[in-house]
Amino acid sequence: MDVHKDIRVSVQREPFSGVDDSCELGQGRTDIGAVVCFTGLVRDFNESPNVTGLTLEHYPGMTERTLENIGQEAWKRWSLKAVRIVHRVGYMAPGDGIVRVSAASAHRRDAFEACDFIMDFLKTRAPFWKKEHAKSGDYWVKERATDYADADRWQS
Amino acid sequence: MPEWRDDTEGENMQLTHLNAHGEASMVDVGDKEETRREAVASGRIVMQPETLELLVDGALPKGDVIATARIAGIQAAKRTHELIPLCHSLALSKVALEFDVDLAQSCVHVEAMCRLNGRTGVEMEALTAVSVACLTLYDMCKAVDKAMRIDAVQLEQKSGGQRGDYQRSAYASQRAGEPIVTGDSAAREVSLGDRCAAPYVRVKFLAELRERVGESEAVIALDELENCDVAGLKATLTARDSAFEALGERRTLCAINQVMANDSARITDEDEVAFFPPVTGG
C-alpha cells in the first residue's frame, strides 16, 4: 500500500527549528504510533580537550543523494511511515545541533532501529568532513574504527 | 569612574585597551598562553565598469594592479603596529591576500588572512592588510577613475585566543556561493572554452586532501592521462607534482560523477572526479 515514501533530506546552514520532529511528523496522521528523533550536538571536547567550534564541509550534490539513498535503504528494511534527515554544514559552536534524524512508524522497534541504522550509515558514507577549532589550533577530525564497526552490524 | 564592563555580555566584553581610569594602555600579553591565531578580513573597492575592464586587461598606466596591491597588503600587515597606536609588533607566520574581480557588482573584493602562533590576535593585521590593499588599488586606478569607493571593510572570522572564535554570520553563506559567481572562476571557464574541443576531466580535492595538495580543482585533458581510469589519473597528477602523492594513500577515497569509484573505474569526457579523505559527519 505504501506508494508514497515520505522521505525528506536537507543539507543546510541554518539551525534546526523546534525541539524535535515528532509534532510535525504526527500532524494530521493517525497511522503513526512511534517517532524516534535523534539529534547530534557539537561537544566541547573530542580529539582535543578544548574544542571552541567546528566547520563542516560537504560535497554538494553527492551529499543529498547519499542521504536520500540511506533513507530509501531504511525504508526497505523497516516498516516506516516517515523519514527526515537534516544535516548542518558551515561553522558551529559547542552545544549547536549538527544532525537530526527522525523515523516514524506504527510500532516503536521499527523507528528505533531505522534511526540507529540511518545514523550509522550517515557517519560512514555521507560526504561530510569536520574540521575542529581548538585553542591549540585547527585540525581535521579522523575517522573512527568504531563507526565502521557500528555500520557493519547492519550488513547481513 | 566609568563602568567599562558590560555585565550582560560577561567579563569578555571588557575594553582591554583602557585602564581603570579610562586611559589608553597597552595590554601586557607576557602571561597569556601562546595559541595559534588566525583572522580573515574583507573589503571591496567599487569602480566604473570601464575601469574594471582596464584592470582585468592589464591596461592601466601604472602596471599590474593586483600584484602591487597584494604586496602592499602583505607589507601593511607586517607594519600594523607602526600605524595603530596600541598594537603589538607581531611575527606573523602567514599573510595571504585574495582578490576577486566581480563584474556583476563592478568591484574588486579583497580578502586577507593573517596567522601566527602567539599571544595576541591578528584581526588588526588582517583589517590593515585589506585597507591598504584597497588604498593601493585606488592609487593604481585613480588616473582613470576618481569616483572609486572603498567600503565594507570588516572582520569575517578569527580563531584562537581566550575570547574564543568569531565568525560573521553572513560570511559562511557568501563563501558558499563564491565558486559560481566570482570573476576568477568565470575567467577559468573562458580559458577552458579554448580547449573545450578536447575531452577533459574535472578533478576536485575536498576537505583535508584539498589542504594537503594545495588545490581545490584541476582540469586535465584526457589525452594527458596515462590510462583513462582513476589509477591513470592519480599517476598523471603524481608525476606532475609530488604533492599529489596523497592520492595514492589507501585511505583516500574517490567518486566519479558523485558515485564512489575504485582505481579501475573508467573516466570519460566531462566526468567530475573527486578525491577526499574518509567521511566524518554526523
Side-chain angles (χ1 to χ4, degrees):
Chain A
M1 277 301 287
D2 259 321
V3 190
H4 170 66
K5 292 182 192 165
D6 188 7
I7 301 173
R8 272 187 245 163
V9 307
S10 168
V11 178
Q12 61 187 50
R13 290 184 175 273
E14 302 72 35
F16 319 125
S17 51
V19 180
D20 67 39
D21 290 334
S22 45
C23 294
E24 190 257 321
L25 289 180
Q27 198 137 48
R29 301 181 63 160
T30 49
D31 59 336
I32 290 176
V35 179
V36 171
C37 177
F38 170 86
T39 306
L41 310 173
V42 181
R43 278 189 303 265
D44 68 358
F45 65 93
N46 193 34
E47 286 184 25
S48 81
N50 295 303
V51 177
T52 57
L54 63 78
T55 303
L56 243 148
E57 178 176 331
H58 76 126
Y59 184 10
M62 184 170 173
T63 318
E64 291 84 351
R65 198 190 305 175
T66 307
L67 296 180
E68 177 75 29
N69 289 344
I70 294 170
Q72 294 283 354
E73 183 60 32
W75 199 275
K76 263 191 256 168
R77 292 183 182 219
W78 290 277
S79 175
L80 300 173
K81 302 290 184 187
V83 170
R84 298 285 179 272
I85 306 174
V86 185
H87 204 295
R88 289 182 61 206
V89 292
Y91 179 80
M92 278 160 259
D96 287 353
I98 305 178
V99 59
R100 173 169 296 165
V101 171
S102 306
S105 57
H107 305 287
R108 71 180 185 285
R109 190 69 56 209
D110 288 312
F112 270 124
E113 290 186 359
C115 206
D116 200 11
F117 165 87
I118 291 169
M119 273 309 298
D120 284 346
F121 269 52
L122 180 152
K123 283 187 85 84
T124 50
R125 282 172 173 66
F128 292 104
W129 298 276
K130 284 189 192 115
K131 190 179 204 179
E132 283 182 348
H133 311 298
K135 286 191 176 171
S136 49
D138 299 346
Y139 52 86
W140 290 95
V141 172
K142 288 271 174 294
E143 69 277 16
R144 290 177 190 215
T146 49
D147 287 336
Y148 286 87
D150 285 345
D152 282 345
R153 294 182 298 148
W154 307 102
Q155 309 279 21
S156 54
Chain B
M1 189 169 65
E3 176 73 17
W4 293 113
R5 228 170 93 180
D6 180 353
D7 280 315
T8 57
E9 298 283 346
E11 205 163 343
N12 278 348
M13 294 308 289
Q14 211 163 350
L15 298 173
T16 55
H17 283 169
L18 298 168
N19 65 14
H21 306 289
E23 298 157 348
S25 114
M26 198 159 175
V27 178
D28 184 350
V29 296
D31 297 331
K32 283 194 187 177
E33 189 188 348
E34 277 211 8
T35 61
R36 186 185 160 104
R37 313 292 193 114
E38 208 174 283
V40 177
S42 71
R44 63 173 194 168
I45 178 164
V46 185
M47 55 185 76
Q48 297 297 323
E50 302 80 51
T51 315
L52 194 60
E53 218 163 274
L54 291 172
L55 187 154
V56 171
D57 295 345
L60 284 157
K62 287 192 179 179
D64 191 337
V65 174
I66 301 281
T68 310
R70 187 187 307 278
I71 299 296
I74 292 170
Q75 294 288 36
K78 293 195 285 187
R79 306 181 75 158
T80 302
H81 70 284
E82 294 176 19
L83 301 167
I84 313 295
L86 302 181
C87 276
H88 297 83
S89 101
L90 303 176
L92 295 169
S93 61
K94 181 162 178 71
V95 181
L97 278 97
E98 268 181 52
F99 296 84
D100 276 327
V101 173
D102 186 339
L103 297 171
Q105 295 185 56
S106 193
C107 69
V108 179
H109 297 280
V110 181
E111 191 174 287
M113 190 276 285
C114 293
R115 186 187 292 156
L116 92 162
N117 283 306
R119 298 188 172 94
T120 78
V122 286
E123 60 267 40
M124 288 312 301
E125 282 68 18
L127 286 162
T128 303
V130 166
S131 304
V132 172
C134 284
L135 286 170
T136 305
L137 289 174
Y138 189 100
D139 182 51
M140 298 291 284
C141 303
K142 69 178 190 292
V144 296
D145 187 355
K146 304 240 176 340
M148 287 178 290
R149 189 177 79 243
I150 293 168
D151 67 15
V153 175
Q154 58 192 17
L155 181 67
E156 297 295 354
Q157 62 175 39
K158 65 167 291 221
S159 61
Q162 291 174 342
R163 286 157 182 247
D165 296 349
Y166 167 80
Q167 174 116 13
R168 184 173 294 279
S169 53
Y171 178 60
S173 45
Q174 273 172 19
R175 297 284 304 176
E178 252 179 24
I180 310 157
V181 296
T182 56
D184 185 40
S185 58
R188 193 180 299 149
E189 297 297 336
V190 172
S191 67
L192 186 70
D194 296 337
R195 38 184 281 192
C196 231
Y200 69 94
V201 55
R202 191 182 292 272
V203 190
K204 289 187 168 191
F205 309 98
L206 305 175
E208 186 183 20
L209 201 67
R210 175 187 59 243
E211 294 184 358
R212 288 180 63 194
V213 306
E215 249 179 274
S216 61
E217 214 178 302
V219 174
I220 295 171
L222 280 191
D223 60 19
E224 285 180 49
L225 297 187
E226 293 174 19
N227 279 311
C228 274
D229 56 19
V230 172
L233 175 61
K234 286 181 182 175
T236 305
L237 285 166
T238 310
R240 230 185 240 194
D241 189 331
S242 60
F244 291 113
E245 274 166 16
L247 300 182
E249 290 171 11
R250 254 186 63 189
R251 66 192 288 271
T252 298
L253 305 174
C254 177
I256 299 179
N257 299 328
Q258 309 201 330
V259 176
M260 296 303 292
N262 57 23
D263 271 357
S264 57
R266 304 278 307 157
I267 294 172
T268 55
D269 189 18
E270 293 185 37
D271 276 350
E272 176 178 291
V273 178
F275 291 105
F276 45 83
V279 302
T280 55

